PDB file of all heavy atoms in Angstrom:
ATOM      1  N   ASN A  54      35.581  19.168   6.092  1.00 88.00           N
ATOM      2  CA  ASN A  54      35.461  19.999   7.372  1.00 88.00           C
ATOM      3  C   ASN A  54      35.339  19.152   8.468  1.00 88.00           C
ATOM      4  O   ASN A  54      35.071  17.916   8.431  1.00 88.00           O
ATOM      5  CB  ASN A  54      34.389  21.038   7.201  1.00 88.00           C
ATOM      6  CG  ASN A  54      34.545  21.952   6.107  1.00 88.00           C
ATOM      7  OD1 ASN A  54      35.633  22.484   5.917  1.00 88.00           O
ATOM      8  ND2 ASN A  54      33.629  22.097   5.213  1.00 88.00           N
ATOM      9  N   ASP A  74      28.726  19.225  12.802  1.00 94.00           N
ATOM     10  CA  ASP A  74      29.329  19.192  11.490  1.00 94.00           C
ATOM     11  C   ASP A  74      29.642  20.570  10.929  1.00 94.00           C
ATOM     12  O   ASP A  74      28.609  21.335  10.975  1.00 94.00           O
ATOM     13  CB  ASP A  74      28.430  18.318  10.537  1.00 94.00           C
ATOM     14  CG  ASP A  74      29.173  17.850   9.276  1.00 94.00           C
ATOM     15  OD1 ASP A  74      29.654  18.825   8.535  1.00 94.00           O
ATOM     16  OD2 ASP A  74      29.287  16.687   9.032  1.00 94.00           O
ATOM     17  N   THR A  75      30.678  20.877  10.398  1.00 92.00           N
ATOM     18  CA  THR A  75      31.007  22.251   9.893  1.00 92.00           C
ATOM     19  C   THR A  75      30.978  22.362   8.387  1.00 92.00           C
ATOM     20  O   THR A  75      31.489  23.268   7.810  1.00 92.00           O
ATOM     21  CB  THR A  75      32.333  22.764  10.363  1.00 92.00           C
ATOM     22  OG1 THR A  75      33.404  21.889   9.952  1.00 92.00           O
ATOM     23  CG2 THR A  75      32.366  22.819  11.959  1.00 92.00           C
ATOM     24  N   ARG A  76      30.501  21.333   7.607  1.00 88.00           N
ATOM     25  CA  ARG A  76      30.498  21.389   6.234  1.00 88.00           C
ATOM     26  C   ARG A  76      29.729  22.594   5.627  1.00 88.00           C
ATOM     27  O   ARG A  76      30.062  23.033   4.532  1.00 88.00           O
ATOM     28  CB  ARG A  76      30.055  20.030   5.606  1.00 88.00           C
ATOM     29  CG  ARG A  76      28.510  19.786   5.653  1.00 88.00           C
ATOM     30  CD  ARG A  76      28.115  18.407   5.071  1.00 88.00           C
ATOM     31  NE  ARG A  76      28.651  17.315   6.060  1.00 88.00           N
ATOM     32  CZ  ARG A  76      28.710  16.099   5.825  1.00 88.00           C
ATOM     33  NH1 ARG A  76      28.242  15.725   4.585  1.00 88.00           N
ATOM     34  NH2 ARG A  76      29.067  15.239   6.670  1.00 88.00           N
ATOM     35  N   ASN A  77      28.764  23.242   6.328  1.00 85.00           N
ATOM     36  CA  ASN A  77      28.105  24.387   5.876  1.00 85.00           C
ATOM     37  C   ASN A  77      28.506  25.639   6.797  1.00 85.00           C
ATOM     38  O   ASN A  77      27.713  26.580   6.861  1.00 85.00           O
ATOM     39  CB  ASN A  77      26.619  24.151   5.928  1.00 85.00           C
ATOM     40  CG  ASN A  77      26.188  23.046   5.009  1.00 85.00           C
ATOM     41  OD1 ASN A  77      26.654  22.966   3.993  1.00 85.00           O
ATOM     42  ND2 ASN A  77      25.297  22.217   5.591  1.00 85.00           N
ATOM     43  N   GLN A  78      29.683  25.637   7.333  1.00 80.00           N
ATOM     44  CA  GLN A  78      30.083  26.639   8.258  1.00 80.00           C
ATOM     45  C   GLN A  78      29.889  28.066   7.772  1.00 80.00           C
ATOM     46  O   GLN A  78      29.348  28.897   8.451  1.00 80.00           O
ATOM     47  CB  GLN A  78      31.697  26.498   8.613  1.00 80.00           C
ATOM     48  CG  GLN A  78      32.133  27.471   9.623  1.00 80.00           C
ATOM     49  CD  GLN A  78      31.774  27.114  11.094  1.00 80.00           C
ATOM     50  OE1 GLN A  78      31.646  25.961  11.422  1.00 80.00           O
ATOM     51  NE2 GLN A  78      31.476  28.090  11.754  1.00 80.00           N
ATOM     52  N   GLY A  79      30.139  28.308   6.563  1.00 78.00           N
ATOM     53  CA  GLY A  79      29.956  29.671   5.972  1.00 78.00           C
ATOM     54  C   GLY A  79      28.613  30.174   5.676  1.00 78.00           C
ATOM     55  O   GLY A  79      28.303  31.278   5.528  1.00 78.00           O
ATOM     56  N   VAL A  80      27.641  29.186   5.660  1.00 82.00           N
ATOM     57  CA  VAL A  80      26.200  29.512   5.460  1.00 82.00           C
ATOM     58  C   VAL A  80      25.365  29.470   6.758  1.00 82.00           C
ATOM     59  O   VAL A  80      24.862  30.495   7.112  1.00 82.00           O
ATOM     60  CB  VAL A  80      25.647  28.527   4.344  1.00 82.00           C
ATOM     61  CG1 VAL A  80      24.175  28.838   4.159  1.00 82.00           C
ATOM     62  CG2 VAL A  80      26.488  28.595   3.144  1.00 82.00           C
ATOM     63  N   THR A  81      25.386  28.411   7.483  1.00 79.00           N
ATOM     64  CA  THR A  81      24.516  28.287   8.587  1.00 79.00           C
ATOM     65  C   THR A  81      25.295  28.007   9.951  1.00 79.00           C
ATOM     66  O   THR A  81      24.677  27.969  10.970  1.00 79.00           O
ATOM     67  CB  THR A  81      23.523  27.044   8.456  1.00 79.00           C
ATOM     68  OG1 THR A  81      24.284  25.908   8.205  1.00 79.00           O
ATOM     69  CG2 THR A  81      22.569  27.349   7.296  1.00 79.00           C
ATOM     70  N   GLY A  82      26.588  27.979   9.831  1.00 83.00           N
ATOM     71  CA  GLY A  82      27.322  27.593  11.050  1.00 83.00           C
ATOM     72  C   GLY A  82      27.400  26.089  11.293  1.00 83.00           C
ATOM     73  O   GLY A  82      27.089  25.357  10.248  1.00 83.00           O
ATOM     74  N   GLU A  83      27.825  25.642  12.413  1.00 92.00           N
ATOM     75  CA  GLU A  83      27.799  24.162  12.673  1.00 92.00           C
ATOM     76  C   GLU A  83      26.323  23.663  12.730  1.00 92.00           C
ATOM     77  O   GLU A  83      25.447  24.267  13.197  1.00 92.00           O
ATOM     78  CB  GLU A  83      28.419  23.935  14.113  1.00 92.00           C
ATOM     79  CG  GLU A  83      29.902  24.216  14.041  1.00 92.00           C
ATOM     80  CD  GLU A  83      30.504  23.850  15.381  1.00 92.00           C
ATOM     81  OE1 GLU A  83      30.434  22.668  15.874  1.00 92.00           O
ATOM     82  OE2 GLU A  83      31.021  24.706  16.054  1.00 92.00           O
ATOM     83  N   ASP A  84      26.217  22.568  12.057  1.00 95.00           N
ATOM     84  CA  ASP A  84      24.894  21.932  11.956  1.00 95.00           C
ATOM     85  C   ASP A  84      24.802  20.492  12.607  1.00 95.00           C
ATOM     86  O   ASP A  84      25.962  19.973  12.802  1.00 95.00           O
ATOM     87  CB  ASP A  84      24.455  21.799  10.519  1.00 95.00           C
ATOM     88  CG  ASP A  84      24.224  23.024   9.793  1.00 95.00           C
ATOM     89  OD1 ASP A  84      23.740  23.980  10.436  1.00 95.00           O
ATOM     90  OD2 ASP A  84      24.677  23.181   8.581  1.00 95.00           O
ATOM     91  N   GLN A 102      21.278  15.712   7.086  1.00 96.00           N
ATOM     92  CA  GLN A 102      21.254  16.833   7.994  1.00 96.00           C
ATOM     93  C   GLN A 102      20.051  16.770   8.880  1.00 96.00           C
ATOM     94  O   GLN A 102      18.951  16.532   8.397  1.00 96.00           O
ATOM     95  CB  GLN A 102      21.219  18.090   7.105  1.00 96.00           C
ATOM     96  CG  GLN A 102      21.484  19.389   7.807  1.00 96.00           C
ATOM     97  CD  GLN A 102      21.640  20.438   6.886  1.00 96.00           C
ATOM     98  OE1 GLN A 102      20.819  20.726   5.979  1.00 96.00           O
ATOM     99  NE2 GLN A 102      22.735  21.299   6.949  1.00 96.00           N
ATOM    100  N   ASN A 105      19.801  22.617  10.576  1.00 82.00           N
ATOM    101  CA  ASN A 105      20.651  23.532   9.852  1.00 82.00           C
ATOM    102  C   ASN A 105      20.222  25.014  10.133  1.00 82.00           C
ATOM    103  O   ASN A 105      20.293  25.874   9.201  1.00 82.00           O
ATOM    104  CB  ASN A 105      20.609  23.303   8.401  1.00 82.00           C
ATOM    105  CG  ASN A 105      19.225  23.577   7.767  1.00 82.00           C
ATOM    106  OD1 ASN A 105      18.279  23.732   8.392  1.00 82.00           O
ATOM    107  ND2 ASN A 105      19.156  23.719   6.372  1.00 82.00           N
ATOM    108  N   GLY A 106      19.853  25.198  11.352  1.00 84.00           N
ATOM    109  CA  GLY A 106      19.374  26.624  11.801  1.00 84.00           C
ATOM    110  C   GLY A 106      20.605  27.549  11.667  1.00 84.00           C
ATOM    111  O   GLY A 106      21.735  27.184  11.738  1.00 84.00           O
ATOM    112  N   ILE A 107      20.335  28.830  11.635  1.00 86.00           N
ATOM    113  CA  ILE A 107      21.354  29.856  11.618  1.00 86.00           C
ATOM    114  C   ILE A 107      21.995  29.806  12.981  1.00 86.00           C
ATOM    115  O   ILE A 107      21.255  29.755  14.003  1.00 86.00           O
ATOM    116  CB  ILE A 107      20.798  31.233  11.251  1.00 86.00           C
ATOM    117  CG1 ILE A 107      20.177  31.232   9.923  1.00 86.00           C
ATOM    118  CG2 ILE A 107      21.931  32.342  11.389  1.00 86.00           C
ATOM    119  CD1 ILE A 107      21.183  30.966   8.733  1.00 86.00           C
ATOM    120  N   GLY A 108      23.336  29.865  13.115  1.00 88.00           N
ATOM    121  CA  GLY A 108      23.982  29.828  14.347  1.00 88.00           C
ATOM    122  C   GLY A 108      24.571  28.476  14.487  1.00 88.00           C
ATOM    123  O   GLY A 108      24.551  27.611  13.611  1.00 88.00           O
ATOM    124  N   ALA A 109      25.166  28.208  15.668  1.00 92.00           N
ATOM    125  CA  ALA A 109      25.822  26.935  15.918  1.00 92.00           C
ATOM    126  C   ALA A 109      24.870  25.989  16.563  1.00 92.00           C
ATOM    127  O   ALA A 109      24.193  26.340  17.490  1.00 92.00           O
ATOM    128  CB  ALA A 109      27.161  27.239  16.829  1.00 92.00           C
TER     129      ALA A 109
END
Side-chain angles (χ1 to χ4, degrees):
N54 297 310
D74 194 298
T75 62
R76 69 185 75 190
N77 299 319
Q78 183 75 37
V80 179
T81 58
E83 289 183 61
D84 297 322
Q102 198 168 48
N105 67 345
I107 299 298

